[in-house]
Amino acid sequence: MSTHQSPDFLVVIPARLGSTRLPRKPLADIGGKPMVVRVAERAKQSLAQSVVVATDSPEIEAACTAHRIDCLLTSPDHPTGTDRLAEVAQLLKLPANSLIVNVQGDEPLIPAELINQVAQTLANNAQCAISTIAVPISDTSEIENPNVVKVVLNRLGEALYFSRAPIPFVRDAHNTQTAQHLRHLGIYAYRADFLQAYTRLEPAPPEQAEALEQLRALWNGYRIAVHTASEAPPAGVDTPEDLERVRKLLGSI
């Protein structure tokens, strides 16, 4: 346990075999281990009390068991990863105030410090139900790329809005120096009682327009604390090219 009284938290890694641009992605081999196992091993380097993979696939469960990674078999019917987390919180009978960090199953290079930071941010912000991370960006192509999600914060460091559009929109070219653009990273910490409430919330209009699940929480009045990190972690795995890049980096480890 670190000296700054790190909060107790659990890491959950949702993993589905379902169709993506990279079929059977969680089981993709990286240096002799399935990707989901690599992610769990990274998460175990954090200060988490425990690390659990949550899946709807007996095949993923078997791969985790073979590598001594805790795994829970969850319903195949969850519409979102957040719903899968809520089931995990129920299965583990977690107290309402437990902190759960959601680490994506395609982030085999995620730094342990980032996991600690998102948990610490939620612990530090009792008024918030969720915490997440953002990094400053300045490249125009990144700011305008709809696959790069942007977030605007209030003065407390809480999210005002997330968008695929370039927000804040800079109206006058000479004002570019005053506008800070932040890229949202897809790592979250949640309080267990929020996860149970979330499963009962209807999808929200801005969420459906932007295809951004976190807008459901904002729409319903939940507060999201955002830690601004100095630099982005290595990218996750979405494509076969990404997989090759990560294999080169991790294959020798």
Coordinates of all heavy atoms in Angstrom, one line a residue, residues 19 41 49 54 56 66 73 140 142-143 226 241 252:
S19 N -18.4 -9.8 -32.1 CA -17.8 -9.3 -33.3 C -17.3 -7.9 -33.1 O -18.0 -7.0 -32.6 CB -18.8 -9.4 -34.4 OG -19.9 -8.6 -34.1
E41 N -2.8 -8.8 -16.0 CA -1.5 -8.8 -15.3 C -1.0 -7.3 -15.1 O -0.4 -7.0 -14.1 CB -0.5 -9.6 -16.2 CG -0.7 -11.1 -16.1 CD 0.3 -11.9 -17.0 OE1 0.9 -11.3 -17.9 OE2 0.3 -13.1 -16.8
Q49 N -7.2 -4.1 -4.7 CA -7.3 -5.3 -3.8 C -7.5 -6.6 -4.6 O -7.0 -7.6 -4.2 CB -8.5 -5.1 -2.9 CG -8.2 -4.3 -1.6 CD -7.6 -2.9 -1.9 OE1 -8.2 -2.2 -2.6 NE2 -6.5 -2.6 -1.3
A54 N -14.6 -10.1 -16.3 CA -16.1 -10.4 -16.4 C -16.4 -10.7 -17.8 O -16.2 -9.8 -18.7 CB -16.9 -9.2 -15.9
D56 N -18.8 -13.2 -20.9 CA -20.0 -14.0 -21.2 C -19.5 -15.3 -22.0 O -20.3 -16.1 -22.5 CB -21.0 -13.3 -22.1 CG -20.4 -12.7 -23.4 OD1 -19.2 -13.0 -23.6 OD2 -21.1 -12.1 -24.1
A66 N -6.6 -20.8 -16.7 CA -5.4 -21.4 -17.0 C -4.2 -20.5 -16.6 O -3.1 -21.0 -16.3 CB -5.3 -21.7 -18.5
L73 N -18.3 -15.5 -14.9 CA -19.1 -15.7 -16.1 C -20.4 -14.9 -15.8 O -21.1 -15.1 -14.9 CB -19.5 -17.1 -16.2 CG -19.6 -17.7 -17.6 CD1 -18.5 -17.2 -18.6 CD2 -19.7 -19.2 -17.6
T140 N -4.8 19.6 -34.5 CA -6.1 19.9 -35.1 C -6.8 18.6 -35.6 O -8.0 18.4 -35.4 CB -6.0 20.9 -36.2 OG1 -5.3 22.0 -35.7 CG2 -7.3 21.4 -36.7
E142 N -6.6 15.6 -34.5 CA -7.1 14.9 -33.4 C -8.3 15.5 -32.8 O -9.3 14.9 -32.5 CB -6.0 14.8 -32.3 CG -6.1 13.6 -31.5 CD -4.9 13.4 -30.5 OE1 -3.9 14.2 -30.6 OE2 -5.0 12.5 -29.7
I143 N -8.3 16.9 -32.7 CA -9.4 17.6 -32.2 C -10.7 17.4 -33.0 O -11.8 17.3 -32.5 CB -9.1 19.1 -32.0 CG1 -8.0 19.3 -30.9 CG2 -10.3 19.9 -31.7 CD1 -7.3 20.6 -30.9
V226 N -13.0 14.3 -13.3 CA -12.0 14.1 -14.4 C -10.6 14.5 -13.9 O -10.4 15.6 -13.6 CB -12.4 14.8 -15.7 CG1 -11.4 14.4 -16.8 CG2 -13.8 14.5 -16.1
E241 N -3.4 -4.1 -37.1 CA -2.1 -3.3 -37.1 C -1.8 -3.0 -35.6 O -0.6 -3.1 -35.2 CB -2.3 -2.0 -37.9 CG -2.4 -2.2 -39.4 CD -3.8 -2.7 -39.8 OE1 -4.8 -2.4 -39.1 OE2 -3.9 -3.5 -40.8
S252 N 8.7 -9.6 -26.2 CA 9.9 -10.0 -25.5 C 9.8 -10.0 -24.0 O 10.8 -10.4 -23.3 CB 11.0 -9.0 -26.0 OG 10.6 -7.7 -25.6

